[in-house]
Amino acid sequence: MQLVRNMAQLVVSLGILVAADKLVEQAFAAASIKFPSALFAMFCVFALLLLLPPSLANGFMAFFDPATVFIHRWLPLFFVPSLVVLPLAVRDVSPASALKILFITFGGWFASLVVAGYTALSVRRIVKTQLIPAEPMKRPSPFGPLEFWAWAAVFVASFAVAYVSPTALGTTATTCLPFLLASTVFGYILGSRLPSGVKKVLHPIICCALSADLAAVAYGYLSRSGVDAVLGDYLTESPSNPGAGDILMGFLGSVIISFAFSMFNQRKLVRRHAAEIFTSIAVASTFSLYSTAILGRVVELEPILTISILPRCITVALALRVVSLFEGVNTSVTAAVVVLTGLIGANFAQAVMDKLRLKDPIARGIGTASSAHGLGTAAVSAKEPEALPFCAIAYALTGVVASLFCSLPAIRHSLVFIAGDASASQTQHFSY
């Protein structure tokens, strides 16, 4: 009975977050407002929690706790769709441009880490605020053998049904949806269960994307429909005919709204260390955006690709909404660069900070999350529990601050101009 109640609470709480995201998104679209709708919803939830009496706020948090735990447990899945269809998106990107993007990604990550870490350290030395214990943070439960084999069975069964009876479910996107979704989930669970040494090379996100791509290749070959057609059905961006990727990306707005709960849970920490947190994040976010635009101009990367990778240090959930404020961007390249930045940070952030003598937990937490968002945060959580709360705060706020900046027409104009597309900066319409 308790299990049934828990499942019902999860479904209802998660359903409310998803429904709220869609309603606000539709309202913003109807009003032609360019500001990210999910970010507005997040601010509303956070403000509501602050205004409610403590008992009601705690009850509100408890009710949505299953939804936030679910989101954190499956978070990488919602980032993957753009990576899965990356083979279709990068065909127009030349090898020279790809090398330039890699240079900007690696160099930009290191520079952002240095700027964020030393800014936090400098402000910390000025304010001299004593570090206080953070609120405990729940960690999602690991995936067990039952989940692994259950999703493996679902994948095999759904693949067989799609192959034997491809027209039974109607459209090709609907036919491919079950097995592509199952292959994505199975790949993530498989990647999560790999030894830690293997994960440094084959991160669960990479394993997840490869699993879906291999499933698409297999079905495209056996059905003779071709891998391009199958991948095209993975992310259709059509509300009336969604693919597996559209289902997963439909949770991105809920991910952003869930930031309100984590920030509220750490409100005492934010209030006490506001100077270090907000100064560092504002400086790091501004530096990341403008340094990317400048580097793109210096190495003569195509302006539209430079604009596509501007939010390289922001979590995918907000990065895709930031680049949607610009015209003609390649969102798959955006997602790929964001994930690559996170993987770099997850593997090298701690070693680099040790070399730079960044020992302060606030500087380490903010530096890691401001340069490598959620993947860097996940890496720190396993080894540096004292830095984790600051990672979690910076992880959310970096995306929030960068989104706020890019919602200002003047900043968008300047970024486009620096990237090298002066004509686009004059012709874009930035309506609210």
Side-chain angles (χ1 to χ4, degrees), residues 1-45:
M1 183 61 71
Q2 183 62 40
L3 178 62
V4 174
R5 283 198 294 266
N6 291 341
M7 287 299 298
Q9 185 179 352
L10 169 62
V11 171
V12 173
S13 59
L14 186 61
I16 290 174
L17 290 183
V18 174
D21 170 51
K22 300 307 177 186
L23 287 174
V24 177
E25 183 180 17
Q26 291 173 4
F28 272 47
S32 299
I33 299 175
K34 287 287 185 178
F35 187 81
S37 58
L39 200 57
F40 174 78
M42 186 210 74
F43 282 128
C44 290
V45 173

Side-chain angles (χ1 to χ4, degrees), residues 323-346:
V323 294
S324 70
L325 298 171
F326 301 88
E327 295 180 355
V329 295
N330 189 325
T331 56
S332 290
V333 170
T334 302
V337 168
V338 169
V339 171
L340 177 60
T341 300
L343 291 174
I344 295 170

Side-chain angles (χ1 to χ4, degrees), residues 158-217:
S158 57
F159 188 95
V161 170
Y163 177 69
V164 173
S165 184
T167 60
L169 297 177
T171 65
T172 56
T174 306
T175 298
C176 294
L177 190 156
F179 81 81
L180 287 177
L181 181 61
S183 65
T184 308
V185 176
F186 173 70
Y188 176 56
I189 296 176
L190 173 63
S192 300
R193 289 171 57 83
L194 293 174
S196 57
V198 178
K199 287 182 184 178
K200 291 184 177 181
V201 179
L202 192 62
H203 193 276
I205 286 184
I206 303 300
C207 188
C208 186
L210 285 176
S211 176
D213 281 330
L214 290 174
V217 169

Side-chain angles (χ1 to χ4, degrees), residues 46 49-50 58 61 72 131-139 258-274 277-278 377 385-397:
F46 185 64
L49 289 169
L50 291 176
N58 291 334
M61 290 280 290
H72 293 156
L131 186 66
I132 63 172
E135 293 295 324
M137 301 180 65
K138 292 185 178 180
R139 296 189 180 186
S258 72
F259 289 165
F261 301 106
S262 59
M263 288 193 298
F264 180 78
N265 193 48
Q266 300 294 344
R267 63 193 180 281
K268 293 180 181 178
L269 202 66
V270 173
R271 189 182 302 117
R272 184 172 181 84
H273 299 284
I277 293 171
F278 288 102
T377 298
E386 68 280 2
L388 176 58
F390 297 98
C391 261
I393 294 167
Y395 163 51
L397 288 181

